[in-house]
Amino acid sequence: MSILPIPRLRPDRPEDFPPPSRALDEPNGLLAWGGDLSPRRLLAAYRRGIFPWYSEGEPLLWWSPDPRLVFDTDGIHLSSRFRRELRRCPWTVRADTCFWEVIRSCAMAPRPGQDGTWITPEIQAAYAGLHRLGHAHSIEVFDGERLVGGLYGVAVGRLFCAESMFSGQSGASKVALAALGRILSGWSWPWIDAQVENPHLRFLGGRAIPRQDFLARLPALVDAGGRLGPWTAAVGAIPAASLTQAPAA
């Protein structure tokens, strides 16, 4: 019997989820609980616009909020002041060279108004498993050979579902996001799913759309051909300073 006013996921049916339309209004998007973090279940969730989010000591919770925050990959916004600073920046951006370091840094990053992290050791291990299978990726910002920022997320078809980012130096997470947008736009991937809106993400160009609109477009994106496996060679080393320039036509 469920101890929460939402369905409990069966451990023997990793691809079964309730329709996102059944998610609660308060808390916004809470859809189900239980199950596990196996690769099969995680990928099935992302393909349906669902993701896990819970804190240490809570049951495993699954969400599909309304509205949904997305970035158009060609619409990442960097302020004029930040672009001027980037022109002199020696950083470079790579992909999938140190996934563990990125996810651990995201877990340790302080979050205003939050005590602790939702990126528990269990979450870290689960997404590292997806990374080994070629589904989860990290975008990494380096100053020389020192990691100073980055983000990680899951690719399903031609949709990138961003999970978390961190800055070891001011502005490094913005560089990671801008580089990700540049990379995905070049591959004709239209959206980065940022899940839940906040003022910082809105300032960077994220836009909130109704969940039903997000879900209506989702099947065509997740069923499209993606890029399974490491992105390291395809991304190469992107100079952060190049992100101030318009992408090549």
Side-chain angles (χ1 to χ4, degrees):
M1 179 179 297
S2 174
I3 61 172
L4 295 172
I6 50 172
R8 182 177 185 176
L9 301 182
R10 290 178 50 170
D12 60 331
R13 300 175 67 174
E15 296 186 1
D16 282 2
F17 286 89
S21 60
R22 296 184 185 174
L24 300 181
D25 294 329
E26 183 59 40
N28 180 11
L30 182 57
L31 178 66
W33 70 283
D36 57 35
L37 293 171
S38 66
R40 185 176 173 185
R41 190 183 299 273
L42 284 169
L43 292 174
Y46 283 106
R47 290 179 64 86
R48 291 163 173 81
I50 301 164
F51 56 89
W53 187 24
Y54 65 104
S55 298
E56 195 81 53
E58 292 181 341
L60 177 49
L61 303 175
W62 300 88
W63 304 76
S64 186
D66 186 15
R68 191 75 167 225
L69 192 80
V70 299
F71 286 92
D72 298 305
T73 56
D74 62 356
I76 310 299
H77 171 72
L78 300 177
S79 69
S80 298
R81 178 179 177 181
F82 189 68
R83 288 178 181 274
R84 288 195 298 270
E85 294 171 354
L86 273 187
R87 295 190 185 105
R88 303 184 300 274
C89 182
W91 297 345
T92 57
V93 181
R94 305 173 196 165
D96 290 337
T97 68
C98 56
F99 184 90
W100 262 114
E101 291 180 56
V102 170
I103 195 170
R104 286 171 177 164
S105 296
C106 288
M108 293 186 294
R111 311 285 179 190
Q114 294 185 21
D115 183 14
T117 179
W118 64 271
I119 309 174
T120 63
E122 183 182 24
I123 286 282
Q124 293 177 46
Y127 284 81
L130 282 182
H131 174 67
R132 288 192 294 271
L133 294 172
H135 298 288
H137 304 279
S138 57
I139 303 298
E140 308 139 0
V141 183
F142 288 91
D143 184 356
E145 292 303 313
R146 183 166 63 93
L147 181 69
V148 295
L151 61 80
Y152 77 95
V154 178
V156 281
R158 290 198 302 148
L159 176 70
F160 189 88
C161 305
E163 284 296 313
S164 187
M165 57 187 181
F166 83 98
S167 286
Q169 290 190 20
S170 178
S173 62
K174 290 190 284 189
V175 168
L177 180 62
L180 176 63
R182 179 68 60 89
I183 293 161
L184 297 182
S185 179
W187 294 347
S188 298
W189 294 30
W191 274 355
I192 299 168
D193 172 24
Q195 301 173 346
V196 179
E197 64 177 316
N198 64 49
H200 178 63
L201 295 180
R202 291 293 296 262
F203 177 77
L204 292 173
R207 57 189 181 93
I209 62 174
R211 181 175 56 209
Q212 64 181 9
D213 293 351
F214 176 81
L215 295 175
R217 193 167 177 191
L218 192 60
L221 293 178
V222 302
D223 291 337
R227 286 179 175 260
L228 184 65
W231 289 359
T232 308
V235 169
I238 301 172
S242 71
L243 299 173
T244 65
Q245 305 167 4

